[in-house]
Amino acid sequence: MPLLDIENITIKFGGLTAVSDFSISMEENDLFGLIGPNGAGKTTVFNMLTGVYAPTSGKIVFNGESIQGIQPHQITKKKISRTFQNIRLMKNLSVMDNIKVSYAYQAHYSLVSSIFRLPSYFRQEEEIEKKSLDLLKIFGLLELKNEKACNLPYGQQRRLEIARALATQPKLLLLDEPAAGMNPQETQNLMDLIQWIRREFKIAILLIEHDMKLVMGVCENIVVLDYGKIIAQGPPDEIKTNKKVIEAYLGEEAADA
Amino acid sequence: QNASGSSSAATSAAASSAASGSASSGSSGAALSGEVKIGAVMPLTGSVAAFGQSGQKALQLLEDQVNADGGINGQKLTFVFVDDEGKPATAATVGKKLIDNDKVVAIVGPLTSNCALSLAPIAQQYKIPMVTGTGTNEKVTKVGDFIFRTCFIDPFQGKVVAKLASSDLKAQTAAMLYDNGNDYSKGLAQNFQKSFEANGGKVVSSETYLTGDKDFNAQLTKIAATNPDVLFLPDYYSTVAVIAKQARSAGIKATFLGGDGWDSADLFKIGGDAVNGAYFSNHYSPDDTSAEVVQFIKDFKSKYNTTDAPDAMAALNYDAGKVLVQSIQKAGSTDSAAIQSALKAYDGTVVSGHIKFDENRDAIKSAVIIKTDGGKETFYTKVEP
Amino acid sequence: MSLIEFLQQLINGVSLGSVYALIALGYTMVYGIIGLINFAHCDIYMVGAYIGFFVATYARLPFIPALLIAMLGSALLGVVIERVAYKPLRRTTNINLLITAIGVSLLLENGFNAMFGGNPRTYPGDILKQQTVMFGPIRSDALHLIILGISLLLLVLLNLFVNHTKMGRAMRATSLDKDAAALMGINVNTTISMTFAIGSALAGAAGMLVAILYSSLDPYMGMMPGIKSFVAAVLGGIGLIPGAFVGGIILGVVETFMAAINSKIAGAVAFVILIVILIIKPTGLLGKAVKEKV
Amino acid sequence: MLKIQNLNVYYDAIHALTDINIEVKEGEIVTLIGANGAGKTSTLRAISGLVPAKSGTITFEDKKLNGYPAYKIPYLGISHVPEGRRIFSNLTVMENLQMGAYCRKDDAGIKKDFEMVYARFPRLKERMKQRGGTLSGGEQQMLAMGRALMARPKILLLDEPSMGLAPIIVQEIFHIIKEINGSGTTILLVEQNANMALSIANRAYVIETGNIVLEGKASDLLQDDSVKQAYLGG
Amino acid sequence: MKSYIKRGVIFLAASLVVFCVLFVLIQTDVINAYYSQILMVICINIILALSTNLIINYTGQLTLGHSAFMAIGAYASAFIQMNTGLPFFLSLLCGSVVAAVFGFLIGLPTLRLKGDYLAITTLGFCQIVVVAIQNIDALGGAQGLAGIPPKTTFAWVFFSMIATIAILYNIVHANQGRAMISVREDEIAAEAMGIDTTRYKIMSFTTGAFFAGYAGGLYAFLMMFIDPNSFNFLKSIDFVIYVVLGGTGGFVGCIASTSILTLLPEVLRFLGDLRMVIYPLLLIVIMILRVKNIRVTSFLRRKSGAAKPKERGEDHAAA
Ligand SMILES: Nc1ncnc2c1ncn2[C@@H]1O[C@H](COP(=O)(O)OP(=O)(O)OP(=O)(O)O)[C@@H](O)[C@H]1O
Ligand SMILES: Nc1ncnc2c1ncn2[C@@H]1O[C@H](COP(=O)(O)OP(=O)(O)OP(=O)(O)O)[C@@H](O)[C@H]1O
Ligand SMILES: [Mg+2]
Ligand SMILES: [Mg+2]
């Protein structure tokens, strides 16, 4: 049984069909790329997967459960997590608190327990604290843990956002243009990080990116969208040489990059 | 000019007897400062500030007169004015300030019933005699035996107007339009209805609005459809005048009736023709020819250099102050129990009439009915309790 | 309720609603540009009434000149308030602005109370002959009809202005992104002042008209209409000019009919309607749901 | 044409630019490259008057820009495509373009430029009535470019125009930049994508933590080892 | 855990000391009934401000109707006590629970509204409550409810305030509080992190209503007389002012601003009418200075070199 099975999802905004008949299937620990021209509907696919928009028609089955149309927070609990194209950190919170927020839904002590500081509060808080520190260490953000998120340099904000997504302990991680605004050096580090995450956490990753070096470098399977429709799907080498993809997306020059 | 006026005989008599009394009890140290402080709680700001300012002027006049006449028991009278903003909570706070910080021996006010209800339990608790000149809600004096009132109560006023409607105007049907968010307005309406129906009349329409409303067409259209003989409008003049205008243009022919809130020279400025031919109950009429009234109006006009006659708020607070001052003089001491018993025994005539307290410490007083005519208030009749 | 009474109440409702609409238009205008619940709007309305009163009473000016002066004075006041009290806070959160606006509102109310006293005043009787207009058995005030007409006219004019003129577009652009607007060559300060001037002039005009209509003005006269009109603006979809008009009329009509059915609870009806409508349609009647694109 | 001399810019206590000197001659494409937070954006914002210069001068066609309020700058012929696009999200595509022409009065010319922009970005024509905020990232970038072009500027300041765009669009954008330049518009280009930027520029400046550390002909810098190392990905 | 207990003990000890000092001063009449009345009103206002703070500053939901819950609590507890003779504390609790239930019921549908829409809705709710009470004769209607026994003492309000501070502090510094804060920061991101934003909004609103109801009860038994108009939306606005002047989030700021602003009108009382003009003037000036001050403090912080702030594109265009 595939981890994620999307069947013919379609979404319309007024007269505009942003995504139509989109279907893919991912296994556990797959690393897929989703590319396509601007406005092709990539982010919209993410939005449907995470419950921000409900598809007009079609089916999304994750982990054997149908998940279309349910609330974003419920989807996170079903273990899909994402980052955003425009970074959405809790700007005024510290790096540490940003991570802790992601553990919030996993904590199970009650309001009463918080008010009276019952043992369950201390037990779980300590656990969250420890887990958060571990995660920050992995992402090299430990020294910055008390810094406000908005004071971080851009590249580190992106890293923090990925760390935060991972803290929700997903089985499927959705990354929306993680390399945007990064210079080549930072992009290189990011590629290593992505591959490392996949190995270490044994999760599936679906990523949107316009940086072909990154996409071609890490993804084993690439889906190409244009005007909301899949125009090609396959391993990087195939995609690179696909006529339609070159025409719609890569352009002549990048094809030989 | 002789400031003490008509009541000078009574006052000076009391003063001289009190003076001798204070000579003996003066050493008891009741008022070390050489002055007698009386608190005055009025709304000096906020939406009913106009009333409080009237009351304040009257009490300042009284203060001058009493001090020119030798003060209280040889000591200087000082009114300590505090602003309750027309808010009950503030009344309670400033009341405590008067009692604790200013060490007043008694309190005049508060001016509005809600504020009086709020301050009364505190005055009672500290055994500070409190005399309200205008808190007409009947519950005020029920709080305790240190609370007095020198005006009539809402049920009486309701009764007076209802009687006027039934017997003088021969009204069979009445409509009411009142402010459901205002204790005074609502209280009067309820009492009017009770009496009017007891007299055999029928209240065919009872409509409400909320403080601050300016458009009454919906209610008036409805009232017009019932075609009542009289329309009872128990609210302050500023609202009443607006209602009256709209009522006339809505085609209501009924005679308008009201309570003491109508009393103001501005009634006609705002209401114009629409408020003519109406009747309302009041505590006193400036047209009254009794010596007290004439003197009070004269003194007031000369102190404030104005041609406008003082309104009921001024007269009533003046009276409350005067009753209190005379009682303290009679008691010969500022001891609260002494003042209390002097108040209980009080029997005298002030601007708004003869005052004597009943067992509820409410003044048993007459009311006057005023008729509006040709843009003027004219004395219509006096109603004894 | 007979048919005639029904029609009469309908007229009453529309008349009341047109007053709300007139104030709400100014509210919405300012809100649309700086996203601020300008609590002081209803006090500018009060000041407009006072200015009109003073020039009509002491300078003996007739209606039209008095109205123009009232509008001008209010516009000026609005601009000054924006410059002095709001501009320093432009870059902070809206709630800071809200508190400042409340401060300005209290200042105007209490300031006028302290200066001119709490006693209500009234315009000279000859400023505008109040006439009753009859449509068969249904009656209405000439002034009410004028207010309705003015609201309608303003609805059309403002809508044209904001949506189809360069200045109007500049206002909307400024409301969305001040930096980017400046990059387009828009003088942000002037644009905001302009908005306040227009909104406040409308408030001032409304204040004067209403004060004549109800023949009284006092320092606290703006409080209730201010809130009701704000409710009207939100009801229609805050920031939308047609919304302010529609919201105002609907509010007036509903309130009137509620008062005709049971006046005791009519005072709460405006708010009940508001809550019910917002629950059904969280962006107001004419507001479009704009989902944030992520 | 544009000359920046000893420019210093502070954000409160942060010294973002230190004694920057940059010159752009008429008809040139000049690029400014540098890492995140180096001060590229700040330089452009200083030119546009969005941040005040603490010291130093900015002159444009012999006019000193210091102290000019931001809104007067576009009238001089300087158009700025800001970082993060900053399009007006609630205005339609068309209205956004109209805003671009805010500082112009020649209606006929504006009309022609509409056609010009639509021809360059056919996607915008398709989305003419759509609200700017609902466009995809790339579409928004096109809109931002189009909006700036509507001002018919003498000099165009571009802040990372390729960010978040599909490769083909990036090529296209650079193509357009060249074209615009070819038709007489001077260009100051800030880019993260140094490779591309250097390949179309005449001259380049490298900025590091608020200091210009290198300048020269673009083709030279493209070969420079330190530049290769730091900005071209090895 | 250890550090928490330590801090808790210090807090309790400090409040006990403060209490003892104040209590002795009151008993010896150094603080007379007038001042102690103000003191008690301050404590009650602090409870109200902190509960508003939870909703506005921590959860980011602008409410202009908090006094409605105060009214509900005040009337419910007074009515229950006067009619059943229930012990004081139990009637307070009953009042708070009634308020909390109302908070829950009104929060459920309205909290999906955003920003100003929520603000005007809560304001509307407040007016509805006022009108409703005006129409309930059993509660005295517009004439108010008199004859409430004076049960509120300084000890009651003081320890209620301490308990409120402790409880709200514990909520805010727990998982629930973090969730509320994340709602304030970015609802979409919070949802994406698995946080049921609606649930936490309602939790915050209901908790706030509970404490407002409790404070309302204390107020009723202190004042001995309550009337519906005292609880209209203008009262709610007072709380918003306390909270906003107190600054984002912090308890200390909120307590300080509440104390100062409650005291201010009393201090200004000697000015007579003028104080009603001075007060809003001060308010405006403080608001403006505060923004300037934020700049100054952040400047100082930056100078110390700790932070590298980055609030991009947020300055200066129109200057
Ligand atoms: N809420 C919305 N309302 C209307 N149209 C929308 C909405 N969200 C997205 N669209 C449209 O759907 C299309 C797909 O948008 P989407 O954001 O998914 O593109 P994308 O593939 O992520 O592009 P990019 O790479 O530029 O981010 C775009 O044309 C966009 O304008
Ligand atoms: N509004 C601001 N307030 C405070 N500091 C700022 C502000 N804007 C920029 N800075 C700081 O000024 C420095 C230069 O920033 P700038 O935005 O010019 O860099 P950049 O080269 O454009 O970087 P990027 O590649 O991230 O766009 C950075 O350290 C940044 O943190
Ligand atoms: Mg996208
Ligand atoms: Mg930049």
Side-chain angles (χ1 to χ4, degrees):
Chain A
M1 185 188 64
L3 176 70
L4 172 71
D5 196 12
I6 304 180
E7 267 178 54
N8 299 323
I9 53 171
T10 297
I11 186 165
K12 295 189 175 134
F13 295 113
L16 175 87
T17 308
V19 174
S20 76
D21 283 334
F22 180 90
S23 309
I24 58 165
S25 171
M26 284 179 80
E27 299 293 335
E28 274 171 42
N29 215 9
D30 271 352
L31 205 174
F32 276 27
L34 180 57
I35 62 173
N38 298 108
K42 304 178 296 294
T43 301
T44 308
V45 169
F46 274 21
N47 283 340
M48 287 189 287
L49 269 174
T50 53
V52 177
Y53 299 148
T56 316
S57 67
K59 248 171 85 177
I60 306 172
V61 177
F62 182 73
N63 227 354
E65 267 180 276
S66 165
I67 59 164
Q68 79 270 20
I70 67 175
Q71 298 281 310
H73 67 91
Q74 290 167 318
I75 292 207
T76 310
K77 286 170 195 157
K78 304 222 183 278
K79 307 226 166 293
I80 299 180
S81 188
R82 75 177 290 182
T83 65
F84 295 90
Q85 185 167 353
N86 305 307
I87 301 180
R88 296 192 87 112
L89 288 169
M90 315 275 169
K91 289 201 195 76
N92 297 312
L93 299 193
S94 69
V95 168
M96 182 71 174
D97 282 340
N98 264 283
I99 299 289
K100 279 188 174 176
V101 164
S102 308
Y103 284 114
Y105 88 88
Q106 299 164 62
H108 290 297
Y109 59 87
S110 65
L111 191 59
V112 176
S113 187
S114 304
I115 291 173
F116 298 106
R117 292 290 199 243
L118 300 182
S120 61
Y121 166 85
F122 288 105
R123 207 177 334 111
Q124 296 190 32
E125 276 298 305
E126 263 163 45
E127 199 182 314
I128 290 177
E129 177 96 14
K130 193 174 150 306
K131 278 190 191 165
S132 308
L133 288 174
D134 287 348
L135 197 63
L136 286 180
K137 200 142 138 211
I138 292 171
F139 276 79
L141 294 166
L142 199 57
E143 291 88 80
L144 296 168
K145 73 183 166 106
N146 292 323
E147 195 70 54
K148 261 195 191 180
C150 63
N151 287 340
L152 255 47
Y154 196 80
Q156 285 179 333
Q157 290 196 15
R158 283 265 176 218
R159 284 170 92 89
L160 177 57
E161 215 192 11
I162 299 174
R164 186 179 71 169
L166 277 176
T168 65
Q169 307 199 319
K171 286 197 165 124
L172 171 62
L173 179 63
L174 308 174
L175 301 174
D176 198 344
E177 300 198 23
M182 285 189 179
N183 61 31
Q185 192 52 50
E186 287 172 317
T187 308
Q188 187 59 48
N189 297 344
L190 181 69
M191 278 167 75
D192 299 342
L193 181 70
I194 290 173
Q195 273 165 334
W196 181 85
I197 288 169
R198 179 195 183 198
R199 273 199 316 275
E200 196 68 22
F201 291 83
K202 305 212 170 19
I203 57 176
I205 298 176
L206 177 59
L207 75 89
I208 299 176
E209 190 44 77
H210 287 303
D211 188 321
M212 284 307 108
K213 225 170 107 197
L214 189 147
V215 177
M216 301 295 174
V218 300
C219 300
E220 56 214 11
N221 198 327
I222 295 175
V223 180
V224 188
L225 265 185
D226 190 19
Y227 284 102
K229 289 201 178 67
I230 295 179
I231 56 166
Q233 180 168 9
D237 293 335
E238 239 172 72
I239 296 296
K240 258 188 219 169
T241 53
N242 185 311
K243 272 260 158 45
K244 272 201 208 150
V245 180
I246 292 175
E247 199 179 308
Y249 182 66
L250 292 175
E252 300 299 336
E253 294 166 40
D256 43 56
Chain B
Q1 184 187 337
N2 180 357
S4 61
S6 63
S7 55
S8 63
T11 312
S12 44
S16 57
S17 71
S20 58
S22 77
S24 53
S25 67
S27 55
S28 71
L32 293 166
S33 58
E35 63 176 350
V36 175
K37 284 192 194 169
I38 297 180
V41 186
M42 331 241 118
L44 301 175
T45 60
S47 48
V48 281
F51 301 141
Q53 285 153 5
S54 241
Q56 186 178 29
K57 278 186 183 166
L59 287 177
Q60 278 162 346
L61 171 65
L62 178 68
E63 187 182 285
D64 289 355
Q65 291 174 340
V66 171
N67 286 333
D69 247 16
I72 298 182
N73 309 343
Q75 289 168 327
K76 187 166 164 275
L77 164 68
T78 309
F79 282 112
V80 183
F81 291 96
V82 285
D83 175 17
D84 66 20
E85 300 158 27
K87 293 181 192 159
T90 313
T93 308
V94 296
K96 284 195 173 164
K97 173 180 174 289
L98 285 176
I99 295 168
D100 272 323
N101 285 18
D102 301 315
K103 309 278 183 221
V104 299
V105 299
I107 290 173
V108 179
L111 189 137
T112 57
S113 291
N114 271 352
C115 289
L117 276 169
S118 170
L119 180 51
I122 294 166
Q124 180 64 29
Q125 189 184 340
Y126 287 84
K127 301 204 183 318
I128 298 290
M130 170 181 132
V131 184
T132 175
T134 45
T136 51
N137 185 319
E138 57 175 321
K139 280 188 261 173
V140 173
T141 45
K142 300 235 166 87
V143 171
D145 57 2
F146 276 87
I147 315 299
F148 294 79
R149 161 167 42 211
T150 54
C151 55
F152 50 59
I153 55 176
D154 287 339
F156 174 66
Q157 196 172 186
K159 203 155 51 183
V160 167
V161 182
K163 190 164 152 241
L164 171 85
S166 311
S167 40
D168 289 38
L169 304 176
K170 307 269 176 281
Q172 303 292 317
T173 56
M176 313 193 295
L177 179 58
Y178 61 92
D179 184 345
N180 200 36
N182 179 292
D183 57 319
Y184 161 77
S185 184
K186 192 171 176 177
L188 266 189
Q190 285 169 344
N191 285 307
F192 171 82
Q193 176 163 22
K194 218 184 285 166
S195 304
F196 188 69
E197 285 176 346
N199 295 348
K202 190 162 182 286
V203 172
V204 289
S205 178
S206 168
E207 301 296 325
T208 67
Y209 50 88
L210 283 183
T211 318
D213 282 356
K214 288 281 168 60
D215 189 311
F216 309 93
N217 281 312
Q219 293 92 329
L220 291 170
T221 300
K222 209 173 153 194
I223 288 172
T226 63
N227 198 19
D229 297 331
V230 292
L231 173 56
F232 186 49
L233 302 171
D235 203 341
Y236 303 120
Y237 65 94
S238 48
T239 311
V240 164
V242 176
I243 297 177
K245 268 185 130 168
Q246 291 181 15
R248 285 298 179 232
S249 82
I252 293 177
K253 304 269 182 333
T255 306
F256 299 147
L257 302 176
D260 52 342
W262 280 47
D263 180 37
S264 165
D266 286 345
L267 178 69
F268 301 97
K269 277 199 208 140
I270 302 171
D273 279 347
V275 290
N276 276 333
Y279 300 84
F280 65 91
S281 59
N282 204 0
H283 307 269
Y284 94 114
S285 162
D287 289 353
D288 199 330
T289 48
S290 79
E292 288 84 1
V293 175
V294 173
Q295 187 64 40
F296 172 63
I297 292 173
K298 189 171 145 243
D299 292 346
F300 190 92
K301 282 184 175 169
S302 83
K303 177 166 165 69
Y304 295 106
N305 197 12
T306 168
T307 52
D308 285 344
D311 57 17
M313 287 295 161
L316 290 172
N317 283 290
Y318 181 86
D319 285 355
K322 188 151 191 173
V323 167
L324 188 56
V325 166
Q326 290 180 347
S327 298
I328 298 174
Q329 287 167 335
K330 188 97 163 280
S333 110
T334 53
D335 175 66
S336 61
I339 301 176
Q340 183 199 24
S341 46
L343 274 168
K344 278 185 178 160
Y346 185 89
D347 189 345
T349 301
V350 284
V351 178
S352 59
H354 181 84
I355 287 186
K356 187 171 164 42
F357 294 104
D358 66 7
E359 71 283 2
N360 291 325
R361 297 160 308 284
D362 289 331
I364 308 160
K365 270 173 74 178
S366 57
V368 295
I369 299 282
I370 296 202
K371 182 168 190 212
T372 56
D373 218 353
K376 265 191 14 230
E377 296 183 0
T378 54
F379 178 77
Y380 179 72
T381 180
K382 197 163 190 169
V383 185
E384 297 300 335
Chain C
M1 205 184 291
S2 68
L3 179 67
I4 290 177
E5 205 181 325
F6 175 85
L7 289 176
Q8 180 65 57
Q9 293 291 23
L10 192 64
I11 294 277
N12 292 343
V14 173
S15 308
L16 177 61
S18 63
V19 172
Y20 292 151
L22 188 56
I23 309 174
L25 282 169
Y27 246 127
T28 262
M29 181 99 191
V30 169
Y31 184 93
I33 305 305
I34 60 166
L36 159 75
I37 307 181
N38 185 13
F39 252 85
H41 188 78
C42 48
D43 300 296
I44 296 174
Y45 158 94
M46 176 271 292
V47 174
Y50 267 89
I51 297 175
F53 167 77
F54 284 125
V55 293
T57 310
Y58 299 114
R60 308 293 306 144
L61 287 186
F63 177 68
I64 299 281
L67 184 70
L68 288 179
I69 290 177
M71 289 174 78
L72 199 73
S74 311
L76 214 66
L77 177 67
V79 171
V80 169
I81 289 174
E82 196 278 325
R83 281 287 155 111
V84 174
Y86 299 162
K87 193 177 158 214
L89 297 171
R90 217 183 262 166
R91 300 269 162 181
T92 67
T93 52
N94 261 359
I95 188 162
N96 283 331
L97 265 174
L98 181 74
I99 300 297
T100 315
I102 290 169
V104 173
S105 166
L106 289 175
L107 183 64
L108 287 175
E109 282 171 10
N110 297 336
F112 267 65
N113 187 47
M115 276 190 298
F116 306 116
N119 271 327
R121 293 154 187 262
T122 183
Y123 274 76
D126 56 357
I127 181 109
L128 205 62
K129 264 268 148 315
Q130 292 209 32
Q131 266 168 340
T132 306
V133 183
M134 302 295 292
F135 307 95
I138 317 289
R139 113 209 106 69
S140 176
D141 254 5
L143 192 49
H144 260 137
L145 294 180
I146 293 175
I147 291 179
L148 181 62
I150 292 180
S151 315
L152 264 171
L153 187 73
L154 282 175
L155 165 71
V156 175
L157 288 183
L158 285 179
N159 218 7
L160 280 177
F161 175 72
V162 169
N163 287 321
H164 300 284
T165 66
K166 208 166 152 181
M167 188 74 205
R169 261 199 309 277
M171 283 181 177
R172 282 186 296 148
T174 306
S175 77
L176 294 168
D177 188 333
K178 295 189 182 62
D179 274 0
L183 288 180
M184 301 299 109
I186 297 168
N187 185 342
V188 173
N189 286 334
T190 314
T191 309
I192 291 180
S193 293
M194 188 74 183
T195 313
F196 266 90
I198 297 176
S200 305
L202 292 185
M208 178 164 165
L209 287 170
V210 172
I212 296 175
L213 178 67
Y214 299 136
S215 45
S216 83
L217 60 151
D218 63 80
Y220 298 96
M221 69 184 272
M223 231 146 96
M224 271 332 267
I227 292 198
K228 294 276 181 67
S229 316
F230 189 69
V231 166
V234 173
L235 201 62
I238 182 94
L240 301 170
I241 287 163
F245 184 82
V246 171
I249 299 291
I250 289 183
L251 187 64
V253 170
V254 171
E255 263 198 329
T256 301
F257 277 99
M258 271 332 278
I261 294 165
N262 182 348
S263 57
K264 284 207 175 64
I265 57 166
V269 159
F271 302 106
V272 175
I273 303 276
L274 173 82
I275 293 178
V276 169
I277 287 190
L278 287 186
I279 286 171
I280 297 167
K281 201 159 178 309
T283 49
L285 286 171
L286 301 189
K288 281 198 207 73
V290 280
K291 226 176 170 170
E292 196 179 347
K293 188 177 183 298
V294 288
Chain D
M1 181 182 214
L2 179 73
K3 199 162 178 182
I4 301 176
Q5 283 168 310
N6 298 324
L7 176 68
N8 280 287
V9 166
Y10 288 79
Y11 294 102
D12 290 335
I14 296 186
H15 197 168
L17 297 178
T18 326
D19 288 330
I20 298 273
N21 287 293
I22 289 176
E23 190 175 359
V24 185
K25 298 203 184 72
E26 186 148 11
E28 269 190 326
I29 299 183
V30 172
T31 182
L32 184 59
I33 59 176
N36 268 306
K40 306 181 296 290
T41 302
S42 302
T43 309
L44 296 196
R45 285 168 66 81
I47 298 170
S48 293
L50 291 177
V51 292
K54 182 94 174 210
S55 66
T57 55
I58 304 171
T59 40
F60 179 68
E61 294 184 323
D62 303 326
K63 239 188 248 92
K64 227 176 119 190
L65 299 189
N66 299 54
Y68 253 68
Y71 70 90
K72 285 194 178 153
I73 303 284
Y75 291 92
L76 303 175
I78 300 178
S79 215
H80 183 165
V81 179
E83 184 178 54
R85 300 155 193 150
R86 310 291 283 268
I87 54 157
F88 301 113
S89 58
N90 258 332
L91 268 52
T92 63
V93 168
M94 186 150 89
E95 286 174 327
N96 265 285
L97 293 177
Q98 284 172 332
M99 287 318 305
Y102 185 82
C103 55
R104 291 173 63 185
K105 298 255 177 317
D106 56 325
D107 286 346
I110 293 175
K111 223 173 173 175
K112 245 180 47 210
D113 284 349
F114 260 108
E115 293 314 313
M116 179 269 291
V117 169
Y118 284 146
R120 281 213 169 111
F121 306 103
R123 181 64 73 101
L124 292 185
K125 191 163 187 181
E126 287 168 35
R127 300 281 149 93
M128 215 156 77
K129 293 260 151 61
Q130 194 172 327
R131 282 178 43 247
T134 60
L135 295 177
S136 81
E139 291 163 345
Q140 290 187 359
Q141 186 66 55
M142 295 180 212
L143 181 56
M145 286 273 278
R147 186 178 66 178
L149 289 180
M150 287 302 294
R152 237 178 214 284
K154 294 180 191 151
I155 183 167
L156 190 59
L157 314 179
L158 296 169
D159 200 342
E160 301 202 32
S162 75
M163 178 156 152
L165 294 193
I168 193 168
I169 308 281
V170 174
Q171 290 158 32
E172 171 128 15
I173 294 269
F174 278 93
H175 207 79
I176 292 169
I177 292 173
K178 259 182 171 152
E179 218 178 280
I180 296 168
N181 179 246
S183 60
T185 310
T186 311
I187 285 170
L188 176 55
L189 171 66
V190 160
E191 257 302 336
Q192 194 75 250
N193 189 340
N195 227 327
M196 278 289 221
L198 289 175
S199 67
I200 64 161
N202 304 102
R203 288 187 310 109
Y205 293 84
V206 178
I207 183 167
E208 258 172 35
T209 54
N211 293 285
I212 301 285
V213 292
L214 210 59
E215 63 171 291
K217 278 174 67 180
S219 50
D220 293 349
L221 290 189
L222 211 41
Q223 304 306 326
D224 187 295
D225 279 340
S226 61
V227 172
K228 263 188 186 165
Q229 175 71 29
Y231 303 108
L232 306 177
Chain E
M1 180 164 180
K2 263 199 201 123
S3 80
Y4 172 76
I5 291 175
K6 207 168 125 196
R7 257 178 301 145
V9 169
I10 291 174
F11 174 69
L12 274 184
S15 18
L16 262 179
V17 170
V18 172
F19 174 75
C20 289
V21 171
L22 290 174
F23 189 74
V24 169
L25 291 179
I26 290 173
Q27 289 301 309
T28 54
D29 222 26
V30 176
I31 293 182
N32 65 27
Y34 167 54
Y35 296 121
S36 75
Q37 168 106 353
I38 296 173
L39 210 56
M40 287 195 263
V41 171
I42 288 179
C43 292
I44 292 174
N45 277 349
I46 286 175
I47 299 177
L48 286 158
L50 286 178
S51 63
T52 314
N53 197 29
L54 182 73
I55 301 173
I56 293 184
N57 273 340
Y58 280 96
T59 320
Q61 308 298 309
L62 179 52
T63 169
L64 294 184
H66 211 55
S67 60
F69 302 115
M70 184 187 177
I72 292 171
Y75 271 95
S77 53
F79 184 78
I80 291 170
Q81 205 281 337
M82 288 162 78
N83 284 285
T84 65
L86 214 61
F88 177 48
F89 184 63
L90 285 184
S91 28
L92 282 185
L93 274 190
C94 286
S96 331
V97 169
V98 174
V101 168
F102 271 93
F104 178 78
L105 292 179
I106 186 71
L108 213 50
T110 57
L111 281 173
R112 57 193 197 105
L113 299 172
K114 299 245 151 33
D116 301 328
Y117 286 96
L118 179 65
I120 193 75
T121 312
T122 46
L123 186 153
F125 171 67
C126 186
Q127 293 307 87
I128 292 171
V129 168
V130 169
V131 171
I133 296 174
Q134 279 168 356
N135 280 302
I136 301 175
D137 286 333
L139 297 179
Q143 279 136 338
L145 187 59
I148 307 169
K151 300 221 176 229
T152 300
T153 61
F154 178 68
W156 271 111
V157 289
F158 187 83
F159 287 111
S160 298
M161 175 186 77
I162 296 297
T164 308
I165 294 175
I167 291 175
L168 289 178
Y169 182 91
N170 282 353
I171 292 179
V172 166
H173 292 90
N175 195 32
Q176 289 83 3
R178 259 196 314 268
M180 290 172 192
I181 294 171
S182 73
V183 171
R184 168 193 81 195
E185 287 287 308
D186 188 332
E187 253 182 75
I188 291 176
E191 282 273 334
M193 295 306 112
I195 288 166
D196 183 348
T197 51
T198 314
R199 181 175 161 216
Y200 285 102
K201 279 193 225 171
I202 289 176
M203 187 187 283
S204 151
F205 209 66
T206 310
T207 312
F210 179 90
F211 282 103
Y214 186 87
L218 287 174
Y219 178 85
F221 289 101
L222 172 66
M223 288 299 173
M224 300 179 270
F225 172 80
I226 46 179
D227 72 325
N229 277 329
S230 307
F231 300 102
N232 68 16
F233 77 97
L234 291 171
K235 186 98 181 170
S236 304
I237 285 180
D238 284 347
F239 308 146
V240 180
I241 292 176
Y242 299 157
V243 163
V244 172
L245 276 186
T248 326
F251 278 55
V252 177
C254 184
I255 292 171
S257 71
T258 307
S259 310
I260 292 170
L261 288 179
T262 311
L263 216 54
L264 194 60
E266 294 300 326
V267 174
L268 294 179
R269 197 168 283 291
F270 75 95
L271 288 171
D273 301 14
L274 266 188
R275 78 180 188 290
M276 306 304 265
V277 181
I278 303 285
Y279 178 81
L281 212 56
L282 277 177
L283 193 63
I284 299 169
V285 171
I286 293 173
M287 286 312 294
I288 294 175
L289 286 183
R290 221 179 53 120
V291 171
K292 298 246 158 84
N293 188 41
I294 286 174
R295 295 227 179 95
V296 173
T297 38
S298 60
F299 175 80
L300 292 176
R301 252 216 325 276
R302 268 174 222 175
K303 223 175 189 172
S304 72
K308 186 193 171 204
K310 197 165 183 178
E311 257 181 74
R312 328 211 39 185
E314 282 297 320
D315 60 305
H316 210 270

